[in-house]
Amino acid sequence: MPLSLTEESYLNGSLSQRPPCRPDGRDQLQFRPIDAAAGILPTTNGSARIRLDDGGECIVGVKAEVITVSGSSDDVHVEVDCDIVGIPANSPMQNLLCSTLETALKNSLPSDLLRITNKYRFKIFVDGIILDHVSHPLTLFSMTTYLALLDTRLPRLAPDSLGEQDNDKDEIGIPQFSSDWADSDRLCKSWSPPLVQHGIIVGKNVFVDATGEEAEVSDGGLLTIWHNGRVVGLRVVNTRDSSKQVFSINIIGNAVEVLANASREIEKGLKGIRTS
Amino acid sequence: MASVKRAYNEDLSKRLTLSQKIFVRSRKGKATKIVQEHYLRTDIPCSSQLCPTCALNPPKDSSGTSRPFVLSSDPPSVKSWGPHYLVPDTNIYMKAMDLLEHFAAFYDVIVLQTALDELRNLSLPLYNRLRALTRSQEKRFYVFHNEFRQETFVQRLEGETINDQNDRAIRNACVWYSVHLQEAVAGTGRSAPTILLLSEDKDNIRKSKELGIACATLETYVKELPQADTLLDMIVVEGDEDASGPNRYSYAEYYSTSRIQGGVKEGLLHQGILNINQYNFLEGSVPVAGFERPLLILGRESINRAMHGDVVVIEVLPREQWKQPSTKIVEEETVSKNDNPEDDAQENVVTAQERRVLIEAARQAQHSSAEFRVQPTAKVVGIVKRNWRSYVGHIDASSVPADAANARRQSSVFLIPMNKCIPKIRLRTRQAINLLGKRVLAAVDSWEPTSRYPEGHFVRTLGDIESKDAETEALLLEYDVQYHQFTQTVLDCLPKEGHNWRVPADSSDPLWKGRQDLRELLVCSIDPPGCQDIDDALHARVLPNGNFEVGVHIADVSHFVKPDTAMDNEAASRGTTVYLVDKRIDMLPVLLGTDLCSLKPYVERFAFSAIWEMTPEAEIVNTSFTKSVIRSKEAFSYEQAQLRIDDKSINDDLTQGMRILLKLSKILKQKRMDAGALNLASPEVKVQTESETSDPMEVGVKQLYETNSLVEEFMLLANISVAAKIYDSFPQSAMLRRHAPPPATNFEVLADQLRVCKAMTLRCDSSRALADSLDECVDPDEPYLNTLIRIMATRCMLAAEYFCSGTMTYSEFSHYGLASPIYTHWTSPIRRYADVVAHRQLAAAITYETLHPSLRDKPKLQRICQNINQRHRNAQFAGRASIEYYVGQALKSREIDAEGYVMKVFSNGFIVFVPQFGVEGPIHLRDIGNPEPPCNFDEERYTLIFHKDTDKETRLQMFDRVVVRVETVVEESTGKRKVALRLRKPLV
């Protein structure tokens, strides 16, 4: 149900105060409680589910497939797909979610993590479904993907698969994997996945984990891509269907800092979750 | 939307717990994570007849029956452990399958699912043997699904390897069984049998002892049994011993699996089946797709532990190492290590690109006929599938150490296999002295790179060398002929009336439905003398319109052998009846083969008839097929039939009919020849045996009558007609037989030999051209030459094979030898399984019955074809080997001079073929004079020039006629009595 003009103006007013006042009394950087679990889909290489307090729910499964490449290309092969229940396929929202995550992953994932031989690579498929959402689903999807990737394991080569003395093993050898799943390697042994954070701007204030109403009265939204302890990417997004969404350029520096702090906290929280 | 799964049966769901198993399947470079979930149950029985609890509520299958309990209430007993049930660890199955199969020991065995699964991953053949044991009732092997029972299931612990988990599961099951059986016998006053764990794993034994489980190694257990020595010999050996010994040897390691798979996929390595040259055990060849000719593998190093029949992966060697195929006769016995050219070639690092160039060059070299003598060679770099089986041979007396008589001491000896393509096998045995002079069956276990010879173990003795029973069994084993008795389940499929079964007298009986009454026709059968399994019978008569009616009547085997019965499966697995000189190994139980199906004279029999209307010019006007009832008027031998036809004074209707048949068959044959059918020859001899002892008396060449060809022509006609009919009805699944045209390269050597030595030409661009040029290869001075060339041409051909029509295109169906576009086998269902299938398909094609689903199943038919092709080949080999043995026996202690022909020339000898006895054998130069006469080998002209008695020069060329002394000797290398030839004089 859309907000009435009075409601909208009241909410906007209280959010733009300094210090602001959120309807549920939260701090600017405070998340609502989430319920997260990893390793819920046994047939995937890694998986996770996160449920939000407002009923939003997302499940992500990560699959690793062996592909052949020609030449010794350094491309990172990642494909991200996400269904959002209630929104038709190929909607702008879906494209935003998939392309943001895919780009973030491709830019941050070192190619040698997925290299098997000169000819063989792992390709990572991230498949998500957002079962329900009230607020902007990107943070939810990113967090779930982050957790699923933490949970992801890649099969290890069998000990005798590629003999040491084979001069041309990288040219012709076909990899053989150990049949023991316990023998697999964590994808995130030496790498942390990127985390995308969605924030809204109201006046001079920045908020994370905005509720639907908060987003509706905001002046605009901002996405930051957090990787290895710093923000590596930025994107401005609309938060409602209005061409009037404008915010001051001066706010961006502050906003990035706020979202970075939020990302750091979230990353800490997600890393504490037990993975399989 | 949420859904809740609710078990409909509360009680059941309480008993079921879910367990999960996760593993990775790695195939074709892909890695797939597999998750298996299964429910843990509490009702899987212990299957001991002592246990009243499990017997109360045994699980039932879908038809509501439960399996009988297997383990005896009174199991065998040994001194140390008393009555016991055995629980073997996986390593016991790996090492002692021959022991487990032995009738003298190993009863009441609990096969744990954990061990069974592990075995399947390690060795599929052993797994299949164990499965067969669990099915046989007499050995009392019970598969206990310990991983599905709640109490015996073990969860993998953190950091535990799969092996450790499996060992723990095995120990856990032992503990459960012990406690369970104690409870079962409690209060009955009986004591429970010991659960005895057998394992070779020290760690497992130690941990079992800590848990109080009775356990033993194989050796300690077997030593408690009677016949311990024989049994201990049957344990698989591990090939580690001579790694440090003086005769240390070193083969190249095989390439890794990944490199082999990748290489084959990229076309840098090639996969094929290794054939060892029977005249030279150091020369092998591998036919490979993409090469016109098989690639040569020369020398022990290049053959690299591969054995005849193994599926190997090979790599083309550098050009400097390409060689001509050997021109020498080389036997393993005569080759000492020094003679064996070691390949010292530098192991260069060759890039994939260079290798591609090399392979292309190899193809070129094979193609350019100018230098067809220098051939690319290759070496074995990996083995995809071993073709190891049990081998029959004898113990090399010289390898038995002097102190072997010292009982109970294990010594290493060599087993020399009968098959010359198989290398010596090292056995370790405690009974070396007893095994001398016996035919011995042994199995190969391993061939380590450090061992010059493969390691094997003793299986059993067949009897004395040269005794008829041992030699017959030996050749049945060598050619993998299934000669065991038919099992009871198979015999249960026979009609209950036994020999009293009759065609129902009342023609309204359901069995008569769809059958034509042909009892009045003048049908007779013509077969070899003494034939009991009469498959076919014929009739012919004049029709009012001047045309002829000709009928071929075939035993109606498919009436008695229904699809998917035990008898059908057994027949499909045997594939064919095997004829030895004194013995017949039947495909079907004798009741059917020689009585109920056999078209015996004077009795009514069910038949399947093909009936044609033909013009006097043998043009077919009309063809029909029908199930029928016939009554054969007479069973002739070929000779009797010939005499009757030739006897002008006999003019009854039956004889007239036979004359019509003969006349038509001659026209049919001429038509076939005009179409380009080949008239091929194989050296056929016949051994006459004394009827009571079946000792061989006389060897002679088989005599052929016109009636042989009479029967043959009508059988061909019937087969072709049926092939067309079943292909028309079932284009995807018809059982057909094809004979592919041989590649022209097969004839190159023979054509060159004929051109050089006899100035004759052999054309092979079509079967017609070949047939015609064979007809022209006549030398007025050498009447036998033409037959000889036909024999040699036959050897250049490919083998005919059964196939399922859906797997080939129509143009590939053609039968080269018969020059027919389509062909099948339909006329001998008693002795060939393909014919049984064709019968069923024809019966369905004429809507006599519906087609059984298994006959539409293309993959299944393909498997059947593969099997019967193999069985068919082996049956031929076994038959020939049997004749060879009897020829040897018949000529024993006799010396005869006979004429022979040079069939192959080597630089140190030649091969001579003696038509009179159908034998061929080598004559070595070293046997002609002592010292070996100097010689000159003109390879271009296939001529060997040597000085026999210092002065006179002897020239021997291909196809030359010679007189040889035929005698028999026991061949040292194989222990076979073989015909030995000595050159008396050349007749040039």
Side-chain angles (χ1 to χ4, degrees):
Chain A
M1 197 168 63
L3 296 173
S4 70
L5 274 175
T6 330
E7 284 168 330
E8 200 181 308
S9 138
Y10 170 74
L11 193 51
N12 186 286
S14 53
L15 288 177
S16 19
Q17 284 178 38
R18 289 185 72 95
C21 174
R22 295 176 82 163
D24 50 10
R26 275 190 291 150
D27 204 2
Q28 265 170 283
L29 286 183
Q30 197 180 353
F31 266 76
R32 290 166 291 179
I34 64 168
D35 169 18
I40 55 156
L41 304 173
T43 54
T44 59
N45 290 58
S47 58
R49 180 185 61 196
I50 291 186
R51 283 189 285 215
L52 300 179
D53 223 20
D54 63 6
E57 180 171 1
C58 174
I59 295 175
V60 169
V62 178
K63 278 265 197 186
E65 246 177 51
V66 182
I67 56 163
T68 52
V69 293
S70 57
S72 49
S73 88
D74 276 341
D75 293 350
V76 174
H77 300 270
V78 179
E79 203 174 303
V80 178
D81 195 11
C82 182
D83 285 345
I84 307 169
V85 172
I87 296 185
N90 293 320
S91 63
M93 180 62 98
Q94 189 191 20
N95 291 341
L96 175 75
L97 257 61
C98 297
S99 67
T100 314
L101 252 291
E102 197 170 301
T103 319
L105 281 170
K106 277 185 174 162
N107 290 341
S108 73
L109 194 56
S111 65
D112 62 316
L113 276 187
L114 301 181
R115 183 177 182 282
I116 305 165
T117 69
N118 256 348
K119 229 185 115 178
Y120 290 87
R121 301 278 191 283
F122 279 117
K123 180 172 183 178
I124 303 287
F125 291 88
V126 176
D127 287 296
I129 179 163
I130 291 169
L131 294 166
D132 206 350
H133 72 285
V134 183
S135 47
H136 199 283
L138 186 53
T139 308
L140 173 62
F141 181 51
S142 173
M143 286 194 299
T144 321
T145 304
Y146 186 97
L147 189 54
L149 286 167
L150 278 189
D151 184 51
T152 297
R153 289 170 166 279
L154 299 178
R156 201 180 291 167
L157 288 175
D160 58 342
S161 170
L162 298 169
E164 288 298 319
Q165 77 279 36
D166 293 357
N167 301 312
D168 48 1
K169 62 174 178 182
D170 275 354
E171 291 302 323
I172 62 172
I174 292 183
Q176 300 272 313
F177 295 90
S178 163
S179 64
D180 188 356
W181 180 248
D183 237 5
S184 51
D185 284 319
R186 302 174 72 92
L187 176 66
C188 296
K189 217 160 46 177
S190 60
W191 169 75
S192 289
L195 194 59
V196 182
Q197 189 65 54
H198 178 247
I200 56 160
I201 293 168
V202 187
K204 288 181 176 163
N205 292 329
V206 184
F207 301 90
V208 297
D209 190 24
T211 61
E213 289 85 8
E214 287 173 335
E216 218 182 309
V217 301
S218 65
D219 303 336
L222 204 59
L223 297 179
T224 56
I225 297 160
W226 165 266
H227 181 242
N228 272 354
R230 61 197 185 90
V231 172
V232 294
L234 190 67
R235 183 168 180 170
V236 177
V237 289
N238 289 345
T239 49
R240 55 173 159 163
D241 307 328
S242 152
S243 52
K244 287 191 287 182
Q245 288 208 311
V246 170
F247 51 80
S248 153
I249 193 158
N250 297 330
I251 190 83
I252 291 186
N254 178 34
V256 168
E257 200 174 306
V258 168
L259 293 179
N261 285 336
S263 297
R264 186 176 294 118
E265 291 300 313
I266 292 171
E267 186 166 38
K268 219 162 85 189
L270 289 175
K271 280 196 167 153
I273 292 169
R274 198 188 130 91
T275 54
S276 58
Chain B
M1 199 183 78
S3 73
V4 181
K5 282 183 196 154
R6 228 184 282 276
Y8 75 98
N9 182 337
E10 279 292 310
D11 190 39
L12 187 73
S13 69
K14 243 182 246 162
R15 282 188 284 140
L16 301 178
T17 319
L18 197 66
S19 87
Q20 204 175 56
K21 211 177 185 176
I22 301 178
F23 58 94
V24 179
R25 181 177 293 156
S26 176
R27 245 173 238 165
K28 291 184 178 167
K30 305 276 180 215
T32 319
K33 186 180 175 191
I34 309 276
V35 181
Q36 281 179 351
E37 289 185 331
H38 46 240
Y39 291 98
L40 300 179
R41 325 172 41 137
T42 52
D43 60 349
I44 295 174
C46 66
S47 200
S48 167
Q49 289 171 358
L50 285 167
C51 177
T53 336
C54 293
L56 271 182
N57 194 16
K60 295 185 169 56
D61 64 15
S62 55
S63 58
T65 52
S66 55
R67 303 230 184 128
F69 278 25
V70 175
L71 301 168
S72 157
S73 56
D74 184 21
S77 171
V78 291
K79 213 170 89 221
S80 302
W81 293 283
H84 58 277
Y85 293 156
L86 287 170
V87 183
D89 194 352
T90 318
N91 45 45
I92 302 293
Y93 297 124
M94 290 297 288
K95 284 189 84 165
M97 194 56 77
D98 290 313
L99 272 177
L100 291 165
E101 288 169 346
H102 201 276
F103 64 90
F106 294 95
Y107 289 86
D108 295 302
V109 175
I110 299 164
V111 181
L112 294 181
Q113 175 195 13
T114 308
L116 193 65
D117 286 349
E118 248 184 317
L119 183 66
R120 180 160 57 179
N121 288 333
L122 292 168
S123 161
L124 206 54
L126 286 178
Y127 169 81
N128 288 332
R129 282 166 72 183
L130 183 58
R131 272 290 181 197
L133 271 178
T134 61
R135 277 191 299 265
S136 86
Q137 282 148 24
E138 55 265 32
K139 289 288 275 183
R140 305 193 295 271
F141 277 49
Y142 170 62
V143 180
F144 177 64
H145 287 95
N146 59 316
E147 290 179 18
F148 295 158
R149 183 161 177 135
Q150 219 169 64
E151 295 94 325
T152 50
F153 168 77
V154 297
Q155 187 78 48
R156 189 166 172 188
L157 302 176
E158 191 86 17
E160 193 179 38
T161 66
I162 291 181
N163 267 337
D164 288 346
Q165 185 198 9
N166 286 343
D167 286 351
R168 198 156 57 85
I170 288 170
R171 291 194 297 271
N172 222 2
C174 290
V175 172
W176 178 82
Y177 249 102
S178 300
V179 175
H180 180 81
L181 290 178
Q182 293 290 354
E183 284 167 2
V185 297
T188 61
R190 300 190 58 156
S191 63
T194 312
I195 297 297
L196 181 56
L197 172 67
L198 288 182
S199 177
E200 294 289 281
D201 180 350
K202 289 201 185 78
D203 190 47
N204 201 7
I205 290 185
R206 185 178 56 79
K207 287 183 176 151
S208 305
K209 288 206 170 124
E210 283 167 11
L211 287 170
I213 302 166
C215 53
T217 62
L218 195 57
E219 201 172 331
T220 40
Y221 176 71
V222 171
K223 279 195 175 144
E224 301 247 339
L225 302 172
Q227 297 191 35
D229 277 356
T230 322
L231 294 175
L232 280 176
D233 274 359
M234 296 166 72
I235 297 176
V236 168
V237 293
E238 268 136 39
D240 51 357
E241 203 164 274
D242 54 70
S244 53
N247 48 357
R248 183 194 165 89
Y249 203 76
S250 180
Y251 291 101
E253 290 279 354
Y254 295 136
Y255 289 178
S256 65
T257 331
S258 71
R259 190 171 170 194
I260 284 171
Q261 289 184 349
V264 170
K265 201 173 155 205
E266 295 284 313
L268 298 171
L269 304 175
H270 308 279
Q271 184 175 327
I273 295 172
L274 178 72
N275 293 309
I276 298 288
N277 182 339
Q278 56 163 329
Y279 294 118
N280 181 351
F281 80 104
L282 288 177
E283 179 183 309
S285 61
V286 180
V288 162
F291 282 87
E292 285 177 28
R293 252 182 277 264
L295 287 167
L296 278 183
I297 319 280
L298 298 177
R300 220 187 272 275
E301 301 288 333
S302 291
I303 294 174
N304 195 2
R305 293 174 282 150
M307 278 166 50
H308 184 72
D310 288 349
V311 180
V312 295
V313 171
I314 55 175
E315 182 175 72
V316 176
L317 286 170
R319 192 184 265 274
E320 309 86 79
Q321 294 176 46
W322 293 1
K323 289 198 179 104
Q324 302 186 359
S326 165
T327 56
K328 274 192 172 176
I329 312 176
V330 186
E331 277 149 2
E332 186 167 21
E333 280 305 278
T334 57
V335 176
S336 71
K337 200 185 171 190
N338 299 341
D339 292 339
N340 177 17
E342 305 279 325
D343 275 339
D344 292 327
Q346 205 78 38
E347 182 67 54
N348 290 327
V349 179
V350 189
T351 67
Q353 189 50 40
E354 284 168 335
R355 198 155 277 148
R356 281 204 177 85
V357 174
L358 184 68
I359 289 165
E360 194 39 51
R363 269 192 199 112
Q364 290 289 336
Q366 284 197 340
H367 193 69
S368 63
S369 58
E371 42 173 352
F372 80 87
R373 285 166 183 289
V374 176
Q375 288 199 14
T377 55
K379 66 174 181 186
V380 173
V381 296
I383 292 186
V384 177
K385 193 172 163 230
R386 286 285 190 188
N387 189 33
W388 286 349
R389 52 185 174 91
S390 301
Y391 297 100
V392 181
H394 71 283
I395 302 292
D396 181 3
S398 62
S399 72
V400 178
D403 59 347
N406 183 1
R408 295 199 147 257
R409 240 212 67 200
Q410 206 180 29
S411 49
S412 285
V413 296
F414 280 123
L415 177 104
I416 303 176
M418 279 169 79
N419 186 341
K420 281 192 185 174
C421 303
I422 305 295
K424 287 197 266 195
I425 300 166
R426 184 182 298 126
L427 306 180
R428 246 161 275 169
T429 173
R430 289 167 183 75
Q431 19 174 8
I433 294 292
N434 300 339
L435 294 179
L436 282 177
K438 304 263 194 211
R439 279 271 169 242
V440 175
L441 186 66
V444 180
D445 303 326
S446 65
W447 196 343
E448 298 298 322
T450 49
S451 166
R452 193 175 162 94
Y453 295 103
E455 304 278 339
H457 67 269
F458 163 85
V459 179
R460 65 190 166 97
T461 58
L462 309 177
D464 292 333
I465 286 180
E466 277 211 75
S467 71
K468 201 169 61 200
D469 291 344
E471 295 297 335
T472 306
E473 194 177 357
L475 72 91
L476 292 177
L477 283 166
E478 273 300 280
Y479 296 108
D480 194 21
V481 177
Q482 300 183 3
Y483 60 97
H484 54 82
Q485 302 280 316
F486 288 100
T487 59
Q488 194 53 46
T489 38
V490 171
L491 297 176
D492 287 344
C493 303
L494 294 170
K496 282 188 248 342
E497 299 88 342
H499 288 285
N500 296 322
W501 183 90
R502 294 284 176 272
V503 171
D506 181 5
S507 58
S508 60
D509 190 279
L511 291 184
W512 271 85
K513 196 170 168 245
R515 282 186 191 275
Q516 247 182 315
D517 184 355
L518 302 179
R519 285 178 292 184
E520 296 312 312
L521 290 177
L522 297 174
V523 173
C524 69
S525 62
I526 309 176
D527 288 286
C531 178
Q532 289 177 301
D533 42 355
I534 304 172
D535 281 304
D536 49 80
L538 298 145
H539 88 274
R541 63 177 178 189
V542 189
L543 293 173
N545 64 2
N547 283 350
F548 296 111
E549 179 193 86
V550 181
V552 166
H553 312 273
I554 306 296
D556 192 6
V557 172
S558 59
H559 172 77
F560 295 97
V561 185
K562 297 293 181 209
D564 264 354
T565 56
M567 186 154 63
D568 181 51
N569 293 336
E570 181 70 28
S573 138
R574 295 189 177 216
T576 173
T577 294
V578 181
Y579 291 90
L580 305 182
V581 170
D582 61 329
K583 213 176 176 170
R584 201 183 60 224
I585 315 294
D586 287 313
M587 179 181 86
L588 292 170
V590 75
L591 172 68
L592 290 186
T594 62
D595 190 3
L596 303 192
C597 290
S598 178
L599 301 178
K600 297 198 295 186
Y602 329 125
V603 286
E604 292 173 6
R605 285 284 175 253
F606 282 164
F608 206 157
S609 304
I611 294 168
W612 300 273
E613 185 183 339
M614 281 186 188
T615 64
E617 292 75 40
E619 294 296 336
I620 296 169
V621 179
N622 186 21
T623 309
S624 65
F625 305 99
T626 176
K627 291 261 184 171
S628 60
V629 179
I630 63 161
R631 185 188 163 96
S632 170
K633 300 294 173 277
E634 198 62 67
F636 295 109
S637 71
Y638 291 118
E639 191 179 0
Q640 286 166 342
Q642 189 70 46
L643 289 174
R644 184 147 177 163
I645 290 173
D646 292 345
D647 188 341
K648 298 265 177 347
S649 64
I650 308 179
N651 277 312
D652 58 280
D653 286 349
L654 180 60
T655 316
Q656 295 293 6
M658 286 159 71
R659 289 189 184 129
I660 296 172
L661 287 170
L662 184 64
K663 194 182 99 189
L664 290 172
S665 77
K666 284 181 181 165
I667 306 175
L668 286 171
K669 180 164 187 176
Q670 191 52 50
K671 282 188 186 168
R672 221 158 46 76
M673 291 298 152
D674 292 345
L678 293 173
N679 195 357
L680 298 170
S682 58
E684 280 200 74
V685 291
K686 159 177 88 166
V687 181
Q688 293 212 320
T689 55
E690 204 200 308
S691 46
E692 268 178 33
T693 59
S694 67
D695 285 335
M697 299 184 333
E698 208 54 60
V699 182
V701 178
K702 261 191 198 168
Q703 191 164 2
L704 294 177
Y705 300 94
E706 278 182 328
T707 43
N708 285 69
S709 140
L710 181 160
V711 175
E712 190 188 344
E713 285 309 320
F714 284 104
M715 294 308 134
L716 291 178
L717 183 65
N719 285 336
I720 293 170
S721 306
V722 170
K725 178 78 182 173
I726 58 177
Y727 175 61
D728 185 47
S729 303
F730 309 107
Q732 279 300 305
S733 60
M735 165 73 86
L736 300 177
R737 187 170 172 84
R738 69 191 278 263
H739 185 203
T745 50
N746 281 17
F747 289 104
E748 254 167 32
V749 175
L750 180 60
D752 190 58
Q753 285 166 342
L754 281 171
R755 184 178 58 79
V756 171
C757 306
K758 291 283 173 191
M760 293 171 177
T761 44
L762 192 68
R763 293 185 311 277
C764 46
D765 19 310
S766 72
S767 63
R768 181 69 202 265
L770 183 66
D772 290 348
S773 61
L774 278 175
D775 287 342
E776 288 158 17
C777 288
V778 179
D779 184 342
D781 301 333
E782 297 282 0
Y784 192 75
L785 181 70
N786 189 262
T787 315
L788 181 71
I789 293 170
R790 284 181 200 274
I791 290 172
M792 294 176 71
T794 311
R795 293 184 184 177
C796 300
M797 308 255 182
L798 302 175
E801 59 177 9
Y802 298 106
F803 68 102
C804 166
S805 59
T807 60
M808 305 260 173
T809 59
Y810 188 79
S811 59
E812 291 172 303
F813 289 6
S814 69
H815 196 292
Y816 180 77
L818 297 172
S820 167
I822 191 167
Y823 192 66
T824 189
H825 269 165
W826 177 72
T827 51
S828 302
I830 297 180
R831 57 188 179 87
R832 286 190 308 229
Y833 188 73
D835 304 53
V836 178
V837 176
H839 269 239
R840 290 179 187 147
Q841 290 181 336
L842 183 64
I846 60 169
T847 64
Y848 171 78
E849 60 188 14
T850 53
L851 191 65
H852 190 270
S854 71
L855 297 173
R856 284 186 197 282
D857 183 350
K858 209 158 95 180
K860 186 177 174 186
L861 281 170
Q862 260 173 298
R863 277 198 304 279
I864 290 178
C865 289
Q866 218 172 13
N867 180 50
I868 56 183
N869 282 329
Q870 178 73 32
R871 298 284 173 193
H872 195 79
R873 229 178 349 258
N874 282 349
Q876 282 179 331
F877 290 147
R880 268 181 231 157
S882 170
I883 290 177
E884 191 185 37
Y885 166 73
Y886 275 95
V887 169
Q889 291 297 310
L891 298 176
K892 200 169 170 179
S893 65
R894 273 203 272 177
E895 290 187 4
I896 302 161
D897 282 348
E899 277 188 11
Y901 295 87
V902 177
M903 227 184 178
K904 210 171 170 117
V905 184
F906 294 101
S907 61
N908 63 343
F910 42 89
I911 309 286
V912 171
F913 173 69
V914 183
Q916 191 184 343
F917 303 112
V919 294
E920 58 183 277
I923 297 184
H924 295 267
L925 274 186
R926 62 165 192 264
D927 299 333
I928 290 175
N930 195 10
E932 189 171 319
C935 71
N936 197 347
F937 177 48
D938 184 351
E939 205 181 338
E940 299 289 309
R941 303 204 54 79
Y942 304 96
T943 306
L944 190 64
I945 306 154
F946 58 95
H947 299 271
K948 195 179 172 192
D949 304 313
T950 57
D951 50 353
K952 222 177 79 203
E953 186 189 82
T954 313
R955 302 174 70 94
L956 270 181
Q957 204 181 18
M958 269 303 282
F959 307 114
D960 278 354
R961 187 148 55 105
V962 292
V963 173
V964 289
R965 163 69 48 91
V966 182
E967 54 195 8
T968 63
V969 289
V970 175
E971 196 179 39
E972 210 177 313
S973 59
T974 60
K976 276 187 201 166
R977 179 167 288 277
K978 278 208 119 172
V979 172
L981 307 175
R982 273 194 301 145
L983 185 66
R984 297 286 288 174
K985 58 173 188 262
L987 293 173
V988 189

